[in-house]
Structure formats: structure tokens, C-alpha cells
Amino acid sequence: MHLAYPAVLSALLFCTGVYGVLARRNAILVLMSVELMLNAVNLNLVAFDVWLSRAAEETLHSGQALTLFTIAIAAAEIGIGLAIVLAVHRNRGTSDIDKLRDTAEGHGPDDPDDPGDPAVPGGPDTDTPATGTAAEKAEATA
């Protein structure tokens, strides 16, 4: 078997994974796309290991050893990543990456621009509408 067949298949799998990471909004589908990219790398490592072992007299099978390390890292990554996604889904009610991005840019309780603060105009004890960055963000995401 030629080296070109697994290399082309690996390139197609990797490109499909990159497209999935860039185009998807669901965090679980992004994790699946990362796994697809890691599996493409594994296929490439094994294919080059077999191809190089035919050329060399001594076979070290270093590509297969690296593949085992990559599989172990991928298993840990999917376990931790899925736990994080499930925890965020329980707290926020969504796993949409675009909506979670606004969470990272949100204001903390110590921020003086927090509209929940009674001392800030637009807070809970005033009759004025909310002004500032929180209103702009709500308007921008709507």
C-alpha cells in the first residue's frame, strides 16, 4: 500500500475537524471536531511509522508509541472537556459558544459599572434605565 492513501485520508479528516472547530457553535461538536483532528494525526503517525519501518532495518515503532500517547491525551481531554461543558450547561442552560463568550466578558460583583449595584444609575433602586456597557451588550446581542 502506498503512503499517499493514508496521508490523503488523514488530510481530509484533519480539514474536516478544522472546519468543525471553526464553524460549529455547540461546544460538544467542537470537542468532537478536535477528536477528529487528533485521530487524523494518529493515522498519519501510524502510516509514516509503517512506511519508515520498511526502509529501516531496525524497527523502533516510535510512531505507534506516539499514537498511544496521543490517544491517552485525547481521552483525558474529552473527559475533562465534557465535564466542563456539562457544568456550564447546568449553570447557564446552554452550550452555545457564542452565548458563553458573553459570560467571559461579563461584569463581576466588585465592578463599579455593575447595574445591580444600587449606587450605579440604572441599578435596582432607581427609576432610570440601565446605561453603560451592560445595556450596549444586551442591545448588541439582540
Short mmCIF file of all heavy atoms in Angstrom, two decimals, residues 65-136:
data_model
loop_
_atom_site.label_atom_id
_atom_site.label_comp_id
_atom_site.label_asym_id
_atom_site.label_seq_id
_atom_site.Cartn_x
_atom_site.Cartn_y
_atom_site.Cartn_z
N ALA A 65 4.12 4.34 19.27
CA ALA A 65 4.21 4.77 20.68
C ALA A 65 3.65 6.19 20.85
O ALA A 65 2.93 6.46 21.82
CB ALA A 65 5.67 4.72 21.14
N LEU A 66 3.96 7.07 19.92
CA LEU A 66 3.40 8.42 19.98
C LEU A 66 1.88 8.40 19.81
O LEU A 66 1.17 9.21 20.41
CB LEU A 66 4.04 9.31 18.91
CG LEU A 66 5.47 9.76 19.18
CD1 LEU A 66 6.02 10.51 17.98
CD2 LEU A 66 5.51 10.64 20.41
N THR A 67 1.39 7.47 19.01
CA THR A 67 -0.05 7.33 18.84
C THR A 67 -0.72 6.93 20.15
O THR A 67 -1.80 7.43 20.49
CB THR A 67 -0.36 6.31 17.74
OG1 THR A 67 0.22 6.78 16.52
CG2 THR A 67 -1.84 6.12 17.56
N LEU A 68 -0.09 6.04 20.90
CA LEU A 68 -0.67 5.66 22.20
C LEU A 68 -0.70 6.84 23.17
O LEU A 68 -1.68 7.01 23.91
CB LEU A 68 0.13 4.50 22.80
CG LEU A 68 -0.05 3.14 22.12
CD1 LEU A 68 0.87 2.12 22.74
CD2 LEU A 68 -1.49 2.70 22.22
N PHE A 69 0.34 7.66 23.16
CA PHE A 69 0.33 8.86 24.00
C PHE A 69 -0.76 9.83 23.55
O PHE A 69 -1.45 10.44 24.37
CB PHE A 69 1.69 9.56 23.97
CG PHE A 69 2.74 8.87 24.78
CD1 PHE A 69 3.91 8.44 24.20
CD2 PHE A 69 2.57 8.66 26.14
CE1 PHE A 69 4.88 7.80 24.95
CE2 PHE A 69 3.53 8.02 26.89
CZ PHE A 69 4.68 7.59 26.29
N THR A 70 -0.93 9.98 22.25
CA THR A 70 -1.96 10.87 21.73
C THR A 70 -3.36 10.38 22.09
O THR A 70 -4.24 11.18 22.43
CB THR A 70 -1.84 10.99 20.20
OG1 THR A 70 -0.51 11.36 19.87
CG2 THR A 70 -2.78 12.02 19.65
N ILE A 71 -3.57 9.07 22.06
CA ILE A 71 -4.87 8.50 22.44
C ILE A 71 -5.13 8.76 23.92
O ILE A 71 -6.26 9.10 24.32
CB ILE A 71 -4.93 7.00 22.09
CG1 ILE A 71 -4.99 6.82 20.58
CG2 ILE A 71 -6.12 6.33 22.76
CD1 ILE A 71 -4.84 5.39 20.13
N ALA A 72 -4.11 8.62 24.75
CA ALA A 72 -4.28 8.88 26.19
C ALA A 72 -4.60 10.35 26.44
O ALA A 72 -5.47 10.68 27.26
CB ALA A 72 -3.03 8.47 26.94
N ILE A 73 -3.92 11.24 25.75
CA ILE A 73 -4.19 12.67 25.91
C ILE A 73 -5.58 13.01 25.40
O ILE A 73 -6.30 13.81 26.02
CB ILE A 73 -3.10 13.50 25.18
CG1 ILE A 73 -1.78 13.37 25.92
CG2 ILE A 73 -3.51 14.96 25.04
CD1 ILE A 73 -0.61 13.95 25.19
N ALA A 74 -6.00 12.39 24.31
CA ALA A 74 -7.34 12.65 23.77
C ALA A 74 -8.41 12.17 24.72
O ALA A 74 -9.45 12.83 24.88
CB ALA A 74 -7.49 11.98 22.41
N ALA A 75 -8.19 11.04 25.37
CA ALA A 75 -9.17 10.53 26.33
C ALA A 75 -9.28 11.47 27.54
O ALA A 75 -10.39 11.75 28.01
CB ALA A 75 -8.78 9.13 26.78
N ALA A 76 -8.16 11.96 28.01
CA ALA A 76 -8.19 12.90 29.13
C ALA A 76 -8.84 14.21 28.71
O ALA A 76 -9.63 14.80 29.46
CB ALA A 76 -6.78 13.16 29.64
N GLU A 77 -8.55 14.66 27.51
CA GLU A 77 -9.12 15.91 27.02
C GLU A 77 -10.63 15.81 26.88
O GLU A 77 -11.36 16.74 27.27
CB GLU A 77 -8.48 16.26 25.67
CG GLU A 77 -9.05 17.48 25.01
CD GLU A 77 -9.99 17.15 23.87
OE1 GLU A 77 -9.89 16.07 23.29
OE2 GLU A 77 -10.85 18.00 23.60
N ILE A 78 -11.13 14.71 26.35
CA ILE A 78 -12.57 14.59 26.17
C ILE A 78 -13.26 14.42 27.52
O ILE A 78 -14.37 14.91 27.72
CB ILE A 78 -12.93 13.47 25.18
CG1 ILE A 78 -14.36 13.64 24.66
CG2 ILE A 78 -12.81 12.11 25.80
CD1 ILE A 78 -14.57 14.82 23.81
N GLY A 79 -12.63 13.76 28.46
CA GLY A 79 -13.23 13.61 29.79
C GLY A 79 -13.34 14.93 30.51
O GLY A 79 -14.40 15.29 31.04
N ILE A 80 -12.27 15.70 30.53
CA ILE A 80 -12.28 16.99 31.21
C ILE A 80 -13.14 17.99 30.44
O ILE A 80 -13.92 18.75 31.04
CB ILE A 80 -10.84 17.51 31.39
CG1 ILE A 80 -10.10 16.61 32.37
CG2 ILE A 80 -10.83 18.95 31.87
CD1 ILE A 80 -8.63 16.91 32.46
N GLY A 81 -13.03 17.99 29.13
CA GLY A 81 -13.81 18.92 28.32
C GLY A 81 -15.30 18.68 28.45
O GLY A 81 -16.09 19.61 28.57
N LEU A 82 -15.71 17.41 28.44
CA LEU A 82 -17.13 17.10 28.58
C LEU A 82 -17.64 17.46 29.97
O LEU A 82 -18.77 17.94 30.12
CB LEU A 82 -17.37 15.62 28.28
CG LEU A 82 -18.80 15.19 28.08
CD1 LEU A 82 -19.44 15.96 26.95
CD2 LEU A 82 -18.87 13.70 27.82
N ALA A 83 -16.81 17.27 30.99
CA ALA A 83 -17.20 17.66 32.34
C ALA A 83 -17.40 19.18 32.43
O ALA A 83 -18.35 19.66 33.05
CB ALA A 83 -16.15 17.21 33.35
N ILE A 84 -16.51 19.94 31.81
CA ILE A 84 -16.65 21.39 31.81
C ILE A 84 -17.89 21.82 31.05
O ILE A 84 -18.65 22.69 31.50
CB ILE A 84 -15.38 22.05 31.22
CG1 ILE A 84 -14.20 21.86 32.17
CG2 ILE A 84 -15.61 23.53 30.95
CD1 ILE A 84 -12.88 22.27 31.59
N VAL A 85 -18.15 21.21 29.89
CA VAL A 85 -19.32 21.57 29.10
C VAL A 85 -20.60 21.24 29.87
O VAL A 85 -21.54 22.04 29.88
CB VAL A 85 -19.29 20.85 27.74
CG1 VAL A 85 -20.62 20.96 27.03
CG2 VAL A 85 -18.19 21.43 26.87
N LEU A 86 -20.65 20.10 30.53
CA LEU A 86 -21.84 19.75 31.30
C LEU A 86 -22.05 20.68 32.49
O LEU A 86 -23.19 21.06 32.80
CB LEU A 86 -21.76 18.30 31.77
CG LEU A 86 -21.93 17.24 30.69
CD1 LEU A 86 -21.71 15.86 31.25
CD2 LEU A 86 -23.28 17.35 30.04
N ALA A 87 -20.97 21.08 33.15
CA ALA A 87 -21.09 22.02 34.27
C ALA A 87 -21.57 23.39 33.79
O ALA A 87 -22.43 24.02 34.42
CB ALA A 87 -19.75 22.16 34.99
N VAL A 88 -21.06 23.85 32.66
CA VAL A 88 -21.50 25.13 32.11
C VAL A 88 -22.95 25.03 31.65
O VAL A 88 -23.74 25.96 31.84
CB VAL A 88 -20.57 25.56 30.96
CG1 VAL A 88 -21.15 26.70 30.16
CG2 VAL A 88 -19.21 25.94 31.49
N HIS A 89 -23.33 23.90 31.07
CA HIS A 89 -24.71 23.73 30.62
C HIS A 89 -25.68 23.74 31.81
O HIS A 89 -26.78 24.29 31.72
CB HIS A 89 -24.86 22.44 29.85
CG HIS A 89 -26.18 22.29 29.14
ND1 HIS A 89 -27.36 22.71 29.67
CD2 HIS A 89 -26.50 21.77 27.95
CE1 HIS A 89 -28.36 22.44 28.86
NE2 HIS A 89 -27.85 21.86 27.79
N ARG A 90 -25.28 23.15 32.92
CA ARG A 90 -26.13 23.17 34.11
C ARG A 90 -26.30 24.59 34.66
O ARG A 90 -27.37 24.98 35.10
CB ARG A 90 -25.56 22.28 35.20
CG ARG A 90 -25.81 20.83 34.98
CD ARG A 90 -25.33 20.02 36.16
NE ARG A 90 -25.36 18.62 35.83
CZ ARG A 90 -24.55 17.72 36.34
NH1 ARG A 90 -23.65 18.10 37.24
NH2 ARG A 90 -24.63 16.46 36.00
N ASN A 91 -25.21 25.36 34.65
CA ASN A 91 -25.26 26.70 35.22
C ASN A 91 -25.90 27.72 34.29
O ASN A 91 -26.65 28.59 34.73
CB ASN A 91 -23.86 27.18 35.59
CG ASN A 91 -23.31 26.43 36.78
OD1 ASN A 91 -24.05 25.92 37.59
ND2 ASN A 91 -21.99 26.35 36.84
N ARG A 92 -25.60 27.65 33.01
CA ARG A 92 -26.06 28.67 32.06
C ARG A 92 -27.26 28.23 31.23
O ARG A 92 -27.92 29.06 30.63
CB ARG A 92 -24.92 29.05 31.09
CG ARG A 92 -23.70 29.57 31.80
CD ARG A 92 -23.96 30.94 32.36
NE ARG A 92 -22.76 31.41 33.03
CZ ARG A 92 -22.77 32.30 33.97
NH1 ARG A 92 -23.89 32.83 34.37
NH2 ARG A 92 -21.66 32.66 34.54
N GLY A 93 -27.51 26.92 31.13
CA GLY A 93 -28.64 26.44 30.36
C GLY A 93 -28.37 26.31 28.87
O GLY A 93 -29.27 26.00 28.11
N THR A 94 -27.14 26.53 28.43
CA THR A 94 -26.81 26.39 27.02
C THR A 94 -25.35 25.97 26.89
O THR A 94 -24.54 26.20 27.78
CB THR A 94 -27.05 27.70 26.27
OG1 THR A 94 -26.80 27.49 24.88
CG2 THR A 94 -26.16 28.82 26.78
N SER A 95 -25.06 25.34 25.76
CA SER A 95 -23.67 25.03 25.44
C SER A 95 -23.24 25.74 24.16
O SER A 95 -22.28 25.34 23.52
CB SER A 95 -23.47 23.52 25.30
OG SER A 95 -24.27 23.02 24.25
N ASP A 96 -23.97 26.80 23.81
CA ASP A 96 -23.65 27.61 22.64
C ASP A 96 -22.42 28.47 22.95
O ASP A 96 -22.42 29.23 23.92
CB ASP A 96 -24.84 28.48 22.28
CG ASP A 96 -24.66 29.18 20.95
OD1 ASP A 96 -23.66 28.91 20.26
OD2 ASP A 96 -25.54 29.99 20.59
N ILE A 97 -21.40 28.36 22.13
CA ILE A 97 -20.14 29.04 22.40
C ILE A 97 -20.29 30.55 22.30
O ILE A 97 -19.68 31.30 23.07
CB ILE A 97 -19.04 28.51 21.45
CG1 ILE A 97 -18.75 27.06 21.77
CG2 ILE A 97 -17.78 29.34 21.56
CD1 ILE A 97 -17.76 26.41 20.85
N ASP A 98 -21.11 31.03 21.37
CA ASP A 98 -21.29 32.48 21.23
C ASP A 98 -21.93 33.08 22.48
O ASP A 98 -21.58 34.18 22.90
CB ASP A 98 -22.13 32.79 20.01
CG ASP A 98 -21.40 32.49 18.72
OD1 ASP A 98 -20.15 32.50 18.74
OD2 ASP A 98 -22.06 32.24 17.70
N LYS A 99 -22.88 32.39 23.07
CA LYS A 99 -23.52 32.90 24.28
C LYS A 99 -22.58 32.80 25.49
O LYS A 99 -22.66 33.61 26.39
CB LYS A 99 -24.81 32.14 24.55
CG LYS A 99 -25.87 32.43 23.53
CD LYS A 99 -27.13 31.67 23.80
CE LYS A 99 -28.14 31.97 22.71
NZ LYS A 99 -29.33 31.15 22.84
N LEU A 100 -21.71 31.80 25.50
CA LEU A 100 -20.77 31.66 26.60
C LEU A 100 -19.65 32.68 26.52
O LEU A 100 -19.05 33.01 27.53
CB LEU A 100 -20.20 30.25 26.63
CG LEU A 100 -21.21 29.14 26.88
CD1 LEU A 100 -20.53 27.78 26.81
CD2 LEU A 100 -21.89 29.32 28.20
N ARG A 101 -19.38 33.17 25.34
CA ARG A 101 -18.34 34.18 25.18
C ARG A 101 -18.75 35.47 25.90
O ARG A 101 -17.92 36.16 26.46
CB ARG A 101 -18.10 34.45 23.69
CG ARG A 101 -16.92 35.34 23.42
CD ARG A 101 -16.65 35.48 21.96
NE ARG A 101 -16.43 34.20 21.35
CZ ARG A 101 -16.85 33.86 20.13
NH1 ARG A 101 -17.52 34.73 19.41
NH2 ARG A 101 -16.60 32.68 19.63
N ASP A 102 -20.04 35.80 25.88
CA ASP A 102 -20.51 36.99 26.60
C ASP A 102 -20.34 36.83 28.10
O ASP A 102 -20.15 37.81 28.81
CB ASP A 102 -21.97 37.26 26.27
CG ASP A 102 -22.16 37.67 24.82
OD1 ASP A 102 -21.18 38.15 24.23
OD2 ASP A 102 -23.27 37.51 24.29
N THR A 103 -20.40 35.60 28.59
CA THR A 103 -20.22 35.34 30.01
C THR A 103 -18.81 35.70 30.45
O THR A 103 -18.60 36.25 31.52
CB THR A 103 -20.50 33.87 30.32
OG1 THR A 103 -21.79 33.54 29.83
CG2 THR A 103 -20.43 33.58 31.79
N ALA A 104 -17.82 35.41 29.62
CA ALA A 104 -16.44 35.70 29.97
C ALA A 104 -16.18 37.20 30.01
O ALA A 104 -15.31 37.67 30.73
CB ALA A 104 -15.50 35.04 28.97
N GLU A 105 -16.95 37.97 29.26
CA GLU A 105 -16.76 39.41 29.23
C GLU A 105 -17.67 40.13 30.23
O GLU A 105 -17.71 41.35 30.26
CB GLU A 105 -17.05 39.93 27.82
CG GLU A 105 -16.10 39.36 26.79
CD GLU A 105 -16.54 39.69 25.38
OE1 GLU A 105 -17.62 40.29 25.22
OE2 GLU A 105 -15.80 39.36 24.46
N GLY A 106 -18.42 39.39 31.02
CA GLY A 106 -19.37 39.99 31.96
C GLY A 106 -18.69 40.70 33.10
O GLY A 106 -17.48 40.63 33.31
N HIS A 107 -19.50 41.40 33.87
CA HIS A 107 -19.00 42.18 34.99
C HIS A 107 -19.12 41.36 36.26
O HIS A 107 -20.08 40.65 36.47
CB HIS A 107 -19.80 43.47 35.14
CG HIS A 107 -19.68 44.37 33.95
ND1 HIS A 107 -18.52 45.02 33.65
CD2 HIS A 107 -20.57 44.68 33.00
CE1 HIS A 107 -18.72 45.73 32.56
NE2 HIS A 107 -19.94 45.53 32.13
N GLY A 108 -18.15 41.50 37.11
CA GLY A 108 -18.15 40.82 38.39
C GLY A 108 -18.89 41.63 39.43
O GLY A 108 -19.31 42.77 39.19
N PRO A 109 -19.05 41.10 40.64
CA PRO A 109 -19.77 41.83 41.69
C PRO A 109 -19.01 43.05 42.19
O PRO A 109 -19.62 43.97 42.74
CB PRO A 109 -19.96 40.80 42.79
CG PRO A 109 -18.93 39.76 42.54
CD PRO A 109 -18.67 39.77 41.05
N ASP A 110 -17.70 43.10 42.02
CA ASP A 110 -16.92 44.23 42.50
C ASP A 110 -16.75 45.32 41.46
O ASP A 110 -16.13 46.35 41.72
CB ASP A 110 -15.52 43.76 42.94
CG ASP A 110 -15.61 42.79 44.10
OD1 ASP A 110 -16.59 42.89 44.87
OD2 ASP A 110 -14.72 41.94 44.25
N ASP A 111 -17.31 45.12 40.27
CA ASP A 111 -17.16 46.08 39.20
C ASP A 111 -18.07 47.29 39.46
O ASP A 111 -19.25 47.13 39.70
CB ASP A 111 -17.52 45.42 37.87
CG ASP A 111 -17.09 46.24 36.67
OD1 ASP A 111 -16.48 47.31 36.89
OD2 ASP A 111 -17.35 45.82 35.53
N PRO A 112 -17.56 48.53 39.39
CA PRO A 112 -18.40 49.69 39.67
C PRO A 112 -19.45 49.95 38.60
O PRO A 112 -20.40 50.66 38.84
CB PRO A 112 -17.41 50.85 39.75
CG PRO A 112 -16.21 50.38 39.02
CD PRO A 112 -16.17 48.89 39.17
N ASP A 113 -19.31 49.38 37.41
CA ASP A 113 -20.29 49.58 36.35
C ASP A 113 -21.41 48.55 36.39
O ASP A 113 -22.20 48.46 35.46
CB ASP A 113 -19.61 49.52 34.97
CG ASP A 113 -18.65 50.69 34.78
OD1 ASP A 113 -18.88 51.73 35.41
OD2 ASP A 113 -17.71 50.54 33.99
N ASP A 114 -21.49 47.77 37.43
CA ASP A 114 -22.50 46.72 37.54
C ASP A 114 -23.87 47.36 37.75
O ASP A 114 -24.07 48.10 38.71
CB ASP A 114 -22.15 45.80 38.71
CG ASP A 114 -23.05 44.57 38.77
OD1 ASP A 114 -23.76 44.31 37.78
OD2 ASP A 114 -23.02 43.87 39.80
N PRO A 115 -24.86 47.09 36.87
CA PRO A 115 -26.17 47.70 37.05
C PRO A 115 -26.93 47.14 38.25
O PRO A 115 -27.92 47.71 38.66
CB PRO A 115 -26.91 47.40 35.74
CG PRO A 115 -26.17 46.31 35.11
CD PRO A 115 -24.76 46.35 35.63
N GLY A 116 -26.47 46.05 38.85
CA GLY A 116 -27.11 45.51 40.04
C GLY A 116 -26.75 46.28 41.29
O GLY A 116 -27.35 46.12 42.34
N ASP A 117 -25.78 47.19 41.21
CA ASP A 117 -25.33 47.99 42.34
C ASP A 117 -26.29 49.16 42.54
O ASP A 117 -26.58 49.90 41.59
CB ASP A 117 -23.91 48.49 42.07
CG ASP A 117 -23.27 49.14 43.28
OD1 ASP A 117 -23.87 49.07 44.38
OD2 ASP A 117 -22.18 49.70 43.13
N PRO A 118 -26.82 49.37 43.76
CA PRO A 118 -27.76 50.48 43.97
C PRO A 118 -27.13 51.85 43.76
O PRO A 118 -27.83 52.82 43.47
CB PRO A 118 -28.21 50.32 45.42
CG PRO A 118 -27.71 49.01 45.88
CD PRO A 118 -26.68 48.55 44.93
N ALA A 119 -25.81 51.98 43.89
CA ALA A 119 -25.16 53.27 43.74
C ALA A 119 -24.97 53.65 42.28
O ALA A 119 -24.65 54.79 41.97
CB ALA A 119 -23.81 53.27 44.45
N VAL A 120 -25.15 52.72 41.37
CA VAL A 120 -24.94 52.98 39.95
C VAL A 120 -26.26 53.39 39.32
O VAL A 120 -27.29 52.79 39.60
CB VAL A 120 -24.38 51.71 39.26
CG1 VAL A 120 -24.29 51.91 37.76
CG2 VAL A 120 -23.03 51.36 39.83
N PRO A 121 -26.26 54.43 38.47
CA PRO A 121 -27.50 54.79 37.78
C PRO A 121 -28.00 53.61 36.96
O PRO A 121 -27.24 52.96 36.24
CB PRO A 121 -27.10 55.95 36.86
CG PRO A 121 -25.85 56.49 37.45
CD PRO A 121 -25.18 55.35 38.15
N GLY A 122 -29.27 53.31 37.07
CA GLY A 122 -29.83 52.15 36.40
C GLY A 122 -29.83 50.93 37.27
O GLY A 122 -30.15 49.84 36.83
N GLY A 123 -29.43 51.08 38.56
CA GLY A 123 -29.41 49.96 39.50
C GLY A 123 -30.82 49.61 39.93
O GLY A 123 -31.81 50.19 39.47
N PRO A 124 -30.96 48.70 40.87
CA PRO A 124 -32.29 48.23 41.23
C PRO A 124 -33.13 49.25 42.01
O PRO A 124 -34.34 49.16 41.99
CB PRO A 124 -32.01 46.99 42.09
CG PRO A 124 -30.62 47.14 42.58
CD PRO A 124 -29.91 47.95 41.55
N ASP A 125 -32.52 50.24 42.65
CA ASP A 125 -33.28 51.19 43.46
C ASP A 125 -33.61 52.49 42.73
O ASP A 125 -34.17 53.40 43.31
CB ASP A 125 -32.50 51.54 44.74
CG ASP A 125 -32.40 50.34 45.66
OD1 ASP A 125 -33.22 49.41 45.51
OD2 ASP A 125 -31.50 50.33 46.51
N THR A 126 -33.26 52.61 41.45
CA THR A 126 -33.51 53.84 40.72
C THR A 126 -34.52 53.59 39.62
O THR A 126 -34.73 52.47 39.19
CB THR A 126 -32.20 54.37 40.10
OG1 THR A 126 -31.70 53.38 39.21
CG2 THR A 126 -31.17 54.69 41.17
N ASP A 127 -35.12 54.67 39.14
CA ASP A 127 -36.11 54.56 38.08
C ASP A 127 -35.52 54.82 36.71
O ASP A 127 -36.22 54.73 35.70
CB ASP A 127 -37.25 55.56 38.33
CG ASP A 127 -38.05 55.20 39.58
OD1 ASP A 127 -38.07 53.99 39.92
OD2 ASP A 127 -38.62 56.11 40.20
N THR A 128 -34.23 55.16 36.63
CA THR A 128 -33.62 55.44 35.34
C THR A 128 -33.27 54.14 34.64
O THR A 128 -32.98 53.14 35.29
CB THR A 128 -32.33 56.28 35.52
OG1 THR A 128 -31.42 55.55 36.33
CG2 THR A 128 -32.65 57.62 36.15
N PRO A 129 -33.32 54.13 33.31
CA PRO A 129 -32.97 52.89 32.60
C PRO A 129 -31.48 52.60 32.71
O PRO A 129 -30.68 53.49 32.98
CB PRO A 129 -33.37 53.19 31.15
CG PRO A 129 -33.36 54.68 31.04
CD PRO A 129 -33.72 55.20 32.41
N ALA A 130 -31.15 51.35 32.51
CA ALA A 130 -29.75 50.92 32.60
C ALA A 130 -28.94 51.55 31.49
O ALA A 130 -29.36 51.56 30.34
CB ALA A 130 -29.66 49.40 32.54
N THR A 131 -27.79 52.09 31.85
CA THR A 131 -26.90 52.69 30.87
C THR A 131 -25.55 52.03 31.00
O THR A 131 -25.26 51.36 31.98
CB THR A 131 -26.75 54.21 31.09
OG1 THR A 131 -26.23 54.42 32.41
CG2 THR A 131 -28.07 54.93 30.92
N GLY A 132 -24.72 52.25 30.02
CA GLY A 132 -23.35 51.74 30.12
C GLY A 132 -23.17 50.51 29.26
O GLY A 132 -23.92 50.23 28.33
N THR A 133 -22.15 49.75 29.59
CA THR A 133 -21.75 48.64 28.75
C THR A 133 -22.72 47.47 28.81
O THR A 133 -22.85 46.76 27.83
CB THR A 133 -20.34 48.16 29.14
OG1 THR A 133 -20.36 47.78 30.51
CG2 THR A 133 -19.32 49.24 28.92
N ALA A 134 -23.41 47.26 29.92
CA ALA A 134 -24.32 46.13 30.00
C ALA A 134 -25.50 46.33 29.06
O ALA A 134 -25.92 45.38 28.37
CB ALA A 134 -24.81 45.95 31.44
N ALA A 135 -26.02 47.54 28.96
CA ALA A 135 -27.11 47.82 28.04
C ALA A 135 -26.65 47.72 26.61
O ALA A 135 -27.37 47.24 25.74
CB ALA A 135 -27.71 49.20 28.33
N GLU A 136 -25.43 48.19 26.34
CA GLU A 136 -24.89 48.09 24.99
C GLU A 136 -24.69 46.64 24.58
O GLU A 136 -24.94 46.26 23.45
CB GLU A 136 -23.58 48.85 24.90
CG GLU A 136 -23.74 50.35 25.03
CD GLU A 136 -22.39 51.06 25.19
OE1 GLU A 136 -21.35 50.39 25.13
OE2 GLU A 136 -22.40 52.29 25.35
#
